């Protein structure tokens, strides 16, 4: 293991990776990496194999060789690697490529050893599906609005509206809750992921985002145009026109959210930042500003839900058709609250830095 220390330091330097980042990839403490590199301790075999897979090197080169000048796989006919050739130089040394050649060949690209891509593709699909189900359920319920139900005057209108909304919320939560819990667990298990995406991946994500934005906004505009047309020529405001509008909004919003998440998953710097925050929350080290922001946003959305349901079931006309606006306004207020708290947090941080200086 005499060369392990030098090899590990060299491999980290190739990837511009800190001890802490390597520790998070391997699931060990930073102190463990420091002990390995100071030869005060050595990793177990399973960790050695993970390091080999991470940096695409052989176990022999990592432990007893030189990863900067790896040996070639010698065939039996070539003799033992330590036997000298005709020039008197051991084969293990003569078969190494010259340093100039190694300098021309960049280090192997990072690989996805954490399963990040598969996890994020599943997460990126479940979140839009949950949002779609909730909005679509509300839209379906509007087809049974008592003021303009597709069934006409019927004692089942209120029940069917309630049933559609509840089913939409239940189905949506069946996507959203497991996806959120699974993502939080993944972030705690993998607080650091090395950026393995290529420029081709980024270009593909940009194309997906463009199509999703154009398609999603187009669907929402079509729904709005339908609403205006029905109101202008059929003189109908409530009921199924709102339902059609919300169904198109559900498709459009789901497309936009998917495109944004598909594009955002390539921003591994932001993921690592969020994963660190998740780690701090799990350890009880959460920032007080973030806790206040979460409490305020949660309260706002609870009030918005109460107001929306009151407008839906507590009025016969007027505000009832606009009940869905309560969530839109709640989301805007939550966003404003987050911006203000972040501004205060940044200002306070700068003030503290000035005091220290």
């Amino acid at each position: 293991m005499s060369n392990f220390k030098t090899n590990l330091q060299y491999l980290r330097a190739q990837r511009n990776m800190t001890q802490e980042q390597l520790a998070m990839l391997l699931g060990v403490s930073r102190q463990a990496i420091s002990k390995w590199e100071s030869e005060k301790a050595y990793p177990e075999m399973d960790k050695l194999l993970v390091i080999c897979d991470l940096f695409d090197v052989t176990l022999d080169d990592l432990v007893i060789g030189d990863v900067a000048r790896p040996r070639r796989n010698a065939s039996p006919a070539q003799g033992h690697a330590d036997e000298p050739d005709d020039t008197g130089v051991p084969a293990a040394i003569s078969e190494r490529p010259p340093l100039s050649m190694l300098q021309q060949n960049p280090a192997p690209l990072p690989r996805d050893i954490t399963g990040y891509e598969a996890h994020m593709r599943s997460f990126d699909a479940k979140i839009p599906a949950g949002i779609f189900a909730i909005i679509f359920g509300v839209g379906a319920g509007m087809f049974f609005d008592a003021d303009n139900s597709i069934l006409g005057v019927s004692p089942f209108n209120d029940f069917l509206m309630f049933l559609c909304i509840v089913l939409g919320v239940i189905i949506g939560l069946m996507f959203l809750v497991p996806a959120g819990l699974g993502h939080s667990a993944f972030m705690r298990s993998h607080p650091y992921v090395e950026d393995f995406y290529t420029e081709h991946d980024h270009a593909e994500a940009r194309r997906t985002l463009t199509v999703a934005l154009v398609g999603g906004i187009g669907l929402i505009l079509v729904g709005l145009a339908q609403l205006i047309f029905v109101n202008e020529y059929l003189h109908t405001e409530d009921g199924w026109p709102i339902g059609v509008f919300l169904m198109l909004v559900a498709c459009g919003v789901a497309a936009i959210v998917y495109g944004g998440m598909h594009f955002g998953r390539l921003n591994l710097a932001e993921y690592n930042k969020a994963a660190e925050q998740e780690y701090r929350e799990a350890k009880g080290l959460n920032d007080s500003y973030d806790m206040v922001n979460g409490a305020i946003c949660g309260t706002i959305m609870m009030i918005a839900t109460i107001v929306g349901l009151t407008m839906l079931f507590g009025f016969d006309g007027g505000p009832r058709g606009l009940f869905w606006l309560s969530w839109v306004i709640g989301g805007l207020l939550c966003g404003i609250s987050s911006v203000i708290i972040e501004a205060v947090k940044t200002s306070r941080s700068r003030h503290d830095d000035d005091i220290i200086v």
Side-chain angles (χ1 to χ4, degrees):
M1 300 284 282
S2 59
N3 292 344
F4 176 73
K5 163 190 171 181
T6 303
N7 287 333
L8 187 59
Q9 291 174 337
Y10 174 82
L11 293 172
R12 283 200 305 105
Q14 270 195 318
R15 298 279 184 86
N16 193 28
M17 185 184 297
T18 66
Q19 288 185 341
E20 185 174 9
Q21 290 171 341
L22 178 59
M24 288 188 288
L25 281 173
L26 299 177
V28 298
S29 66
R30 187 197 62 79
Q31 289 77 10
I33 304 297
S34 178
K35 289 180 180 179
W36 297 349
E37 294 187 353
S38 61
E39 297 185 325
K40 294 180 180 178
Y42 295 102
E44 298 178 353
M45 179 58 68
D46 60 333
K47 299 302 181 186
L48 287 173
L49 295 176
V50 174
I51 294 173
C52 291
D53 186 46
L54 174 63
F55 294 105
D56 195 22
V57 296
T58 66
L59 184 60
D60 285 344
D61 283 330
L62 176 65
V63 177
I64 61 176
D66 184 358
V67 293
R69 305 177 69 183
R71 292 174 293 183
R72 297 176 182 174
N73 293 328
S75 63
Q78 291 176 317
H80 194 274
D82 293 331
E83 293 178 0
D85 57 13
D86 295 337
T87 63
V89 180
I93 298 178
S94 64
E95 289 181 356
R96 294 176 181 176
L99 183 60
S100 59
M101 181 182 298
L102 289 167
Q103 291 173 341
Q104 296 174 359
N105 298 326
L109 292 175
R111 294 184 295 171
D112 180 17
I113 66 170
T114 62
Y116 175 83
E117 175 69 11
H119 165 73
M120 290 304 295
R121 283 190 177 275
S122 174
F123 183 65
D124 294 350
K126 291 178 180 178
I127 296 300
I131 295 173
F132 169 83
I134 293 174
I135 301 177
F136 192 89
V138 175
M142 294 306 297
F143 279 83
F144 304 102
D145 188 342
D147 292 337
N148 194 23
S149 172
I150 60 174
L151 298 179
V153 178
S154 173
F156 298 104
N157 282 328
D158 288 341
F159 170 75
L160 291 175
M161 173 184 282
F162 178 78
L163 180 64
C164 290
I165 294 174
V166 169
L167 286 177
V169 170
I170 291 176
I171 295 173
L173 293 177
M174 289 175 63
F175 283 104
L176 295 174
V177 173
L181 294 176
H183 188 57
S184 295
F186 183 88
M187 293 173 74
R188 288 193 295 269
S189 300
H190 305 286
Y192 174 76
V193 175
E194 195 176 12
D195 192 350
F196 57 90
Y197 288 110
T198 64
E199 182 55 36
H200 173 75
D201 296 326
H202 285 275
E204 185 271 337
R206 286 192 293 268
R207 287 193 296 268
T208 301
L209 177 61
T210 301
V211 173
L213 285 175
V214 173
I217 294 173
L219 287 170
I220 294 174
L221 291 177
V222 169
L224 185 60
Q226 173 268 154
L227 202 61
I228 296 173
F229 176 83
V230 172
N231 184 34
E232 183 71 23
Y233 293 98
L234 300 181
H235 307 290
T236 301
E237 296 181 357
D238 300 326
W240 65 265
I242 297 292
V244 173
F245 170 69
L246 290 177
M247 287 179 174
L248 290 172
V249 168
C251 297
V253 170
I256 293 172
V257 171
Y258 175 78
M261 295 184 66
H262 183 79
F263 179 79
R265 83 178 195 278
L266 273 68
N267 187 356
L268 281 167
E270 187 64 28
Y271 166 84
N272 291 329
K273 180 180 178 181
E276 181 182 357
Q277 177 67 21
E278 184 72 22
Y279 172 81
R280 291 179 63 85
E281 291 179 357
K283 297 296 183 180
L285 303 173
N286 198 19
D287 195 313
S288 60
Y289 287 98
D290 296 325
M291 295 176 66
V292 171
N293 183 47
I296 292 176
C297 286
T299 302
I300 289 174
M301 295 312 297
M302 287 178 62
I303 294 174
T305 301
I306 294 172
V307 171
L309 293 177
T310 301
M311 292 171 64
L312 177 60
F313 296 107
F315 295 88
D316 293 332
R320 182 174 187 174
L322 300 176
F323 75 95
W324 51 276
L325 281 177
S326 63
W327 286 282
V328 176
I329 296 173
L332 291 174
L333 292 176
C334 187
I336 293 172
S337 170
S338 299
V339 170
I340 294 175
I341 291 177
E342 185 64 27
V344 173
K345 177 181 177 181
T346 303
S347 176
R348 182 61 181 272
S349 177
R350 291 176 179 173
H351 176 70
D352 293 342
D353 291 341
D354 292 339
I355 294 176
I356 293 173
V357 173

Short mmCIF file of all heavy atoms in Angstrom, two decimals, residues 251-296:
data_model
loop_
_atom_site.label_atom_id
_atom_site.label_comp_id
_atom_site.label_asym_id
_atom_site.label_seq_id
_atom_site.Cartn_x
_atom_site.Cartn_y
_atom_site.Cartn_z
N CYS A 251 -52.16 20.05 -18.36
CA CYS A 251 -51.21 19.53 -19.35
C CYS A 251 -50.05 20.50 -19.54
O CYS A 251 -48.88 20.10 -19.60
CB CYS A 251 -51.91 19.28 -20.67
SG CYS A 251 -53.20 18.02 -20.62
N GLY A 252 -50.38 21.79 -19.65
CA GLY A 252 -49.34 22.78 -19.88
C GLY A 252 -48.38 22.91 -18.71
O GLY A 252 -47.16 22.95 -18.89
N VAL A 253 -48.92 22.97 -17.50
CA VAL A 253 -48.07 23.11 -16.31
C VAL A 253 -47.20 21.87 -16.13
O VAL A 253 -46.01 21.97 -15.81
CB VAL A 253 -48.94 23.36 -15.07
CG1 VAL A 253 -48.10 23.25 -13.80
CG2 VAL A 253 -49.60 24.73 -15.14
N ALA A 254 -47.78 20.69 -16.35
CA ALA A 254 -47.00 19.46 -16.22
C ALA A 254 -45.84 19.44 -17.22
O ALA A 254 -44.73 19.03 -16.88
CB ALA A 254 -47.90 18.24 -16.43
N ALA A 255 -46.11 19.90 -18.46
CA ALA A 255 -45.05 19.95 -19.47
C ALA A 255 -43.95 20.92 -19.07
O ALA A 255 -42.75 20.62 -19.18
CB ALA A 255 -45.63 20.34 -20.82
N ILE A 256 -44.34 22.09 -18.59
CA ILE A 256 -43.35 23.10 -18.19
C ILE A 256 -42.53 22.60 -17.00
O ILE A 256 -41.30 22.76 -16.97
CB ILE A 256 -44.06 24.43 -17.85
CG1 ILE A 256 -44.68 25.02 -19.12
CG2 ILE A 256 -43.08 25.41 -17.23
CD1 ILE A 256 -45.56 26.22 -18.86
N VAL A 257 -43.20 22.02 -16.01
CA VAL A 257 -42.48 21.51 -14.83
C VAL A 257 -41.52 20.40 -15.24
O VAL A 257 -40.36 20.36 -14.77
CB VAL A 257 -43.48 21.00 -13.77
CG1 VAL A 257 -42.75 20.27 -12.65
CG2 VAL A 257 -44.28 22.17 -13.21
N TYR A 258 -41.97 19.50 -16.12
CA TYR A 258 -41.08 18.42 -16.56
C TYR A 258 -39.85 18.97 -17.28
O TYR A 258 -38.72 18.55 -17.01
CB TYR A 258 -41.81 17.45 -17.47
CG TYR A 258 -40.90 16.39 -18.05
CD1 TYR A 258 -40.50 15.29 -17.29
CD2 TYR A 258 -40.41 16.51 -19.36
CE1 TYR A 258 -39.64 14.34 -17.81
CE2 TYR A 258 -39.55 15.56 -19.88
CZ TYR A 258 -39.16 14.48 -19.11
OH TYR A 258 -38.29 13.55 -19.62
N GLY A 259 -40.08 19.91 -18.20
CA GLY A 259 -38.95 20.49 -18.93
C GLY A 259 -37.98 21.18 -18.00
O GLY A 259 -36.76 21.05 -18.15
N GLY A 260 -38.51 21.93 -17.02
CA GLY A 260 -37.65 22.62 -16.08
C GLY A 260 -36.85 21.66 -15.22
O GLY A 260 -35.66 21.86 -14.97
N MET A 261 -37.50 20.60 -14.74
CA MET A 261 -36.80 19.63 -13.90
C MET A 261 -35.79 18.83 -14.71
O MET A 261 -34.70 18.51 -14.22
CB MET A 261 -37.81 18.71 -13.22
CG MET A 261 -38.73 19.42 -12.24
SD MET A 261 -39.85 18.30 -11.38
CE MET A 261 -38.69 17.34 -10.39
N HIS A 262 -36.16 18.49 -15.94
CA HIS A 262 -35.25 17.75 -16.82
C HIS A 262 -33.98 18.56 -17.08
O HIS A 262 -32.87 18.03 -17.11
CB HIS A 262 -35.96 17.43 -18.13
CG HIS A 262 -35.15 16.61 -19.08
ND1 HIS A 262 -34.99 15.25 -18.94
CD2 HIS A 262 -34.43 16.96 -20.18
CE1 HIS A 262 -34.21 14.79 -19.91
NE2 HIS A 262 -33.85 15.81 -20.68
N PHE A 263 -34.16 19.86 -17.25
CA PHE A 263 -33.01 20.74 -17.48
C PHE A 263 -32.25 20.98 -16.18
O PHE A 263 -31.01 20.99 -16.17
CB PHE A 263 -33.50 22.07 -18.06
CG PHE A 263 -32.41 23.07 -18.31
CD1 PHE A 263 -31.61 22.97 -19.42
CD2 PHE A 263 -32.19 24.11 -17.42
CE1 PHE A 263 -30.59 23.89 -19.65
CE2 PHE A 263 -31.18 25.02 -17.64
CZ PHE A 263 -30.38 24.92 -18.76
N GLY A 264 -32.97 21.16 -15.09
CA GLY A 264 -32.33 21.49 -13.82
C GLY A 264 -31.53 20.35 -13.23
O GLY A 264 -30.61 20.60 -12.45
N ARG A 265 -31.85 19.11 -13.57
CA ARG A 265 -31.13 18.00 -12.96
C ARG A 265 -29.66 17.98 -13.39
O ARG A 265 -28.82 17.35 -12.73
CB ARG A 265 -31.80 16.68 -13.30
CG ARG A 265 -31.43 16.08 -14.64
CD ARG A 265 -32.13 14.74 -14.85
NE ARG A 265 -31.54 13.99 -15.93
CZ ARG A 265 -31.81 14.17 -17.21
NH1 ARG A 265 -32.69 15.10 -17.57
NH2 ARG A 265 -31.22 13.46 -18.14
N LEU A 266 -29.34 18.64 -14.51
CA LEU A 266 -27.95 18.69 -14.96
C LEU A 266 -27.12 19.69 -14.16
O LEU A 266 -25.89 19.70 -14.27
CB LEU A 266 -27.87 19.03 -16.45
CG LEU A 266 -27.98 17.85 -17.42
CD1 LEU A 266 -29.38 17.24 -17.39
CD2 LEU A 266 -27.64 18.27 -18.84
N ASN A 267 -27.78 20.52 -13.38
CA ASN A 267 -27.07 21.49 -12.54
C ASN A 267 -26.68 20.81 -11.24
O ASN A 267 -27.33 20.97 -10.20
CB ASN A 267 -27.97 22.71 -12.29
CG ASN A 267 -27.22 23.83 -11.58
OD1 ASN A 267 -26.06 23.68 -11.21
ND2 ASN A 267 -27.89 24.95 -11.38
N LEU A 268 -25.61 20.06 -11.29
CA LEU A 268 -25.20 19.29 -10.12
C LEU A 268 -24.63 20.17 -9.02
O LEU A 268 -24.63 19.77 -7.84
CB LEU A 268 -24.17 18.23 -10.54
CG LEU A 268 -24.81 17.00 -11.20
CD1 LEU A 268 -23.77 16.14 -11.88
CD2 LEU A 268 -25.58 16.18 -10.18
N ALA A 269 -24.17 21.35 -9.35
CA ALA A 269 -23.72 22.27 -8.31
C ALA A 269 -24.89 22.66 -7.41
O ALA A 269 -24.76 22.72 -6.18
CB ALA A 269 -23.08 23.52 -8.93
N GLU A 270 -26.05 22.91 -8.02
CA GLU A 270 -27.24 23.24 -7.25
C GLU A 270 -27.72 22.04 -6.46
O GLU A 270 -28.17 22.17 -5.32
CB GLU A 270 -28.34 23.74 -8.18
CG GLU A 270 -29.57 24.27 -7.48
CD GLU A 270 -29.29 25.50 -6.65
OE1 GLU A 270 -28.35 26.26 -6.99
OE2 GLU A 270 -30.01 25.71 -5.64
N TYR A 271 -27.64 20.84 -7.08
CA TYR A 271 -28.03 19.63 -6.35
C TYR A 271 -27.16 19.44 -5.12
O TYR A 271 -27.65 19.14 -4.02
CB TYR A 271 -27.92 18.40 -7.25
CG TYR A 271 -27.98 17.10 -6.46
CD1 TYR A 271 -29.19 16.53 -6.12
CD2 TYR A 271 -26.80 16.47 -6.02
CE1 TYR A 271 -29.25 15.37 -5.36
CE2 TYR A 271 -26.86 15.31 -5.26
CZ TYR A 271 -28.09 14.76 -4.94
OH TYR A 271 -28.13 13.62 -4.18
N ASN A 272 -25.85 19.58 -5.28
CA ASN A 272 -24.95 19.40 -4.15
C ASN A 272 -25.22 20.40 -3.04
O ASN A 272 -25.12 20.08 -1.85
CB ASN A 272 -23.50 19.51 -4.62
CG ASN A 272 -23.08 18.34 -5.50
OD1 ASN A 272 -23.58 17.22 -5.34
ND2 ASN A 272 -22.20 18.59 -6.44
N LYS A 273 -25.58 21.62 -3.43
CA LYS A 273 -25.93 22.64 -2.43
C LYS A 273 -27.20 22.24 -1.67
O LYS A 273 -27.27 22.34 -0.45
CB LYS A 273 -26.12 23.99 -3.12
CG LYS A 273 -26.50 25.12 -2.19
CD LYS A 273 -26.67 26.42 -2.96
CE LYS A 273 -27.10 27.56 -2.04
NZ LYS A 273 -27.30 28.82 -2.80
N ALA A 274 -28.22 21.77 -2.43
CA ALA A 274 -29.46 21.34 -1.80
C ALA A 274 -29.24 20.09 -0.95
O ALA A 274 -29.86 19.94 0.11
CB ALA A 274 -30.53 21.08 -2.87
N ALA A 275 -28.39 19.19 -1.42
CA ALA A 275 -28.12 17.97 -0.66
C ALA A 275 -27.42 18.30 0.66
O ALA A 275 -27.69 17.67 1.69
CB ALA A 275 -27.25 17.03 -1.49
N GLU A 276 -26.55 19.30 0.63
CA GLU A 276 -25.92 19.72 1.88
C GLU A 276 -26.96 20.28 2.85
O GLU A 276 -26.89 20.03 4.05
CB GLU A 276 -24.86 20.78 1.59
CG GLU A 276 -24.13 21.27 2.83
CD GLU A 276 -23.12 22.36 2.53
OE1 GLU A 276 -22.94 22.69 1.34
OE2 GLU A 276 -22.52 22.88 3.47
N GLN A 277 -27.92 21.04 2.29
CA GLN A 277 -28.99 21.57 3.13
C GLN A 277 -29.82 20.44 3.73
O GLN A 277 -30.22 20.48 4.90
CB GLN A 277 -29.88 22.51 2.30
CG GLN A 277 -31.07 23.08 3.04
CD GLN A 277 -30.66 24.04 4.14
OE1 GLN A 277 -29.57 24.57 4.12
NE2 GLN A 277 -31.54 24.23 5.11
N GLU A 278 -30.11 19.42 2.93
CA GLU A 278 -30.85 18.26 3.41
C GLU A 278 -30.09 17.56 4.52
O GLU A 278 -30.66 17.12 5.52
CB GLU A 278 -31.10 17.29 2.25
CG GLU A 278 -31.94 16.09 2.60
CD GLU A 278 -33.40 16.45 2.80
OE1 GLU A 278 -33.84 17.50 2.28
OE2 GLU A 278 -34.10 15.67 3.47
N TYR A 279 -28.78 17.48 4.36
CA TYR A 279 -27.94 16.86 5.39
C TYR A 279 -28.00 17.68 6.68
O TYR A 279 -28.10 17.11 7.78
CB TYR A 279 -26.50 16.77 4.88
CG TYR A 279 -25.51 16.32 5.92
CD1 TYR A 279 -25.35 14.98 6.23
CD2 TYR A 279 -24.72 17.26 6.60
CE1 TYR A 279 -24.44 14.57 7.19
CE2 TYR A 279 -23.81 16.85 7.56
CZ TYR A 279 -23.67 15.51 7.85
OH TYR A 279 -22.78 15.11 8.80
N ARG A 280 -27.95 18.99 6.55
CA ARG A 280 -28.00 19.85 7.73
C ARG A 280 -29.35 19.70 8.44
O ARG A 280 -29.42 19.71 9.67
CB ARG A 280 -27.77 21.31 7.33
CG ARG A 280 -26.35 21.60 6.86
CD ARG A 280 -26.21 23.07 6.46
NE ARG A 280 -26.43 23.94 7.59
CZ ARG A 280 -25.51 24.29 8.46
NH1 ARG A 280 -24.27 23.83 8.33
NH2 ARG A 280 -25.78 25.09 9.47
N GLU A 281 -30.42 19.59 7.66
CA GLU A 281 -31.74 19.40 8.27
C GLU A 281 -31.80 18.08 9.02
O GLU A 281 -32.36 17.99 10.11
CB GLU A 281 -32.82 19.46 7.19
CG GLU A 281 -33.02 20.84 6.59
CD GLU A 281 -34.07 20.85 5.52
OE1 GLU A 281 -34.60 19.76 5.21
OE2 GLU A 281 -34.38 21.93 4.99
N ALA A 282 -31.24 17.04 8.41
CA ALA A 282 -31.26 15.72 9.05
C ALA A 282 -30.45 15.72 10.35
O ALA A 282 -30.78 15.00 11.29
CB ALA A 282 -30.71 14.66 8.09
N LYS A 283 -29.41 16.55 10.41
CA LYS A 283 -28.55 16.61 11.59
C LYS A 283 -29.00 17.68 12.58
O LYS A 283 -28.35 17.89 13.60
CB LYS A 283 -27.10 16.89 11.18
CG LYS A 283 -26.47 15.79 10.33
CD LYS A 283 -26.36 14.50 11.10
CE LYS A 283 -25.66 13.43 10.28
NZ LYS A 283 -25.53 12.16 11.01
N GLY A 284 -30.11 18.37 12.27
CA GLY A 284 -30.58 19.43 13.16
C GLY A 284 -29.75 20.69 13.10
O GLY A 284 -29.71 21.45 14.06
N LEU A 285 -29.08 20.92 11.96
CA LEU A 285 -28.23 22.09 11.81
C LEU A 285 -28.83 23.09 10.84
O LEU A 285 -28.11 23.90 10.26
CB LEU A 285 -26.84 21.65 11.29
CG LEU A 285 -26.10 20.63 12.15
CD1 LEU A 285 -24.85 20.16 11.45
CD2 LEU A 285 -25.78 21.22 13.52
N ASN A 286 -30.12 23.07 10.68
CA ASN A 286 -30.78 23.92 9.70
C ASN A 286 -30.65 25.39 10.05
O ASN A 286 -30.67 25.78 11.22
CB ASN A 286 -32.26 23.55 9.61
CG ASN A 286 -32.88 24.07 8.34
OD1 ASN A 286 -32.18 24.38 7.38
ND2 ASN A 286 -34.20 24.16 8.33
N ASP A 287 -30.52 26.22 9.01
CA ASP A 287 -30.43 27.67 9.17
C ASP A 287 -31.76 28.21 9.69
O ASP A 287 -32.82 27.82 9.23
CB ASP A 287 -30.10 28.30 7.81
CG ASP A 287 -29.64 29.74 7.96
OD1 ASP A 287 -30.31 30.49 8.69
OD2 ASP A 287 -28.63 30.10 7.34
N SER A 288 -31.69 29.12 10.68
CA SER A 288 -32.92 29.67 11.26
C SER A 288 -33.74 30.42 10.23
O SER A 288 -34.97 30.41 10.27
CB SER A 288 -32.56 30.60 12.43
OG SER A 288 -31.74 31.68 11.99
N TYR A 289 -33.08 31.08 9.27
CA TYR A 289 -33.81 31.80 8.23
C TYR A 289 -34.62 30.83 7.37
O TYR A 289 -35.75 31.12 6.99
CB TYR A 289 -32.83 32.59 7.34
CG TYR A 289 -32.24 33.80 8.01
CD1 TYR A 289 -30.98 33.75 8.58
CD2 TYR A 289 -32.95 35.00 8.07
CE1 TYR A 289 -30.43 34.86 9.20
CE2 TYR A 289 -32.41 36.12 8.68
CZ TYR A 289 -31.15 36.05 9.24
OH TYR A 289 -30.62 37.14 9.84
N ASP A 290 -34.03 29.68 7.06
CA ASP A 290 -34.74 28.68 6.26
C ASP A 290 -35.93 28.11 7.03
O ASP A 290 -36.98 27.83 6.45
CB ASP A 290 -33.79 27.55 5.84
CG ASP A 290 -32.69 28.05 4.93
OD1 ASP A 290 -32.96 28.96 4.13
OD2 ASP A 290 -31.56 27.53 5.02
N MET A 291 -35.77 27.94 8.32
CA MET A 291 -36.87 27.44 9.14
C MET A 291 -38.02 28.44 9.17
O MET A 291 -39.18 28.07 9.05
CB MET A 291 -36.37 27.14 10.55
CG MET A 291 -35.35 26.02 10.64
SD MET A 291 -34.70 25.79 12.31
CE MET A 291 -36.17 25.25 13.16
N VAL A 292 -37.69 29.73 9.30
CA VAL A 292 -38.72 30.77 9.30
C VAL A 292 -39.43 30.81 7.95
O VAL A 292 -40.66 30.90 7.87
CB VAL A 292 -38.10 32.13 9.64
CG1 VAL A 292 -39.12 33.25 9.42
CG2 VAL A 292 -37.61 32.15 11.07
N ASN A 293 -38.65 30.72 6.88
CA ASN A 293 -39.23 30.75 5.54
C ASN A 293 -40.17 29.57 5.32
O ASN A 293 -41.26 29.71 4.76
CB ASN A 293 -38.13 30.74 4.49
CG ASN A 293 -38.67 30.84 3.08
OD1 ASN A 293 -39.52 31.67 2.79
ND2 ASN A 293 -38.17 30.00 2.19
N GLY A 294 -39.76 28.39 5.76
CA GLY A 294 -40.62 27.22 5.62
C GLY A 294 -41.91 27.35 6.40
O GLY A 294 -42.98 26.97 5.93
N ALA A 295 -41.81 27.91 7.61
CA ALA A 295 -43.01 28.09 8.44
C ALA A 295 -43.97 29.08 7.81
O ALA A 295 -45.19 28.87 7.77
CB ALA A 295 -42.60 28.55 9.84
N ILE A 296 -43.42 30.19 7.27
CA ILE A 296 -44.28 31.21 6.65
C ILE A 296 -44.96 30.65 5.40
O ILE A 296 -46.17 30.82 5.21
CB ILE A 296 -43.45 32.46 6.31
CG1 ILE A 296 -43.00 33.16 7.59
CG2 ILE A 296 -44.25 33.42 5.44
CD1 ILE A 296 -42.10 34.36 7.35
#
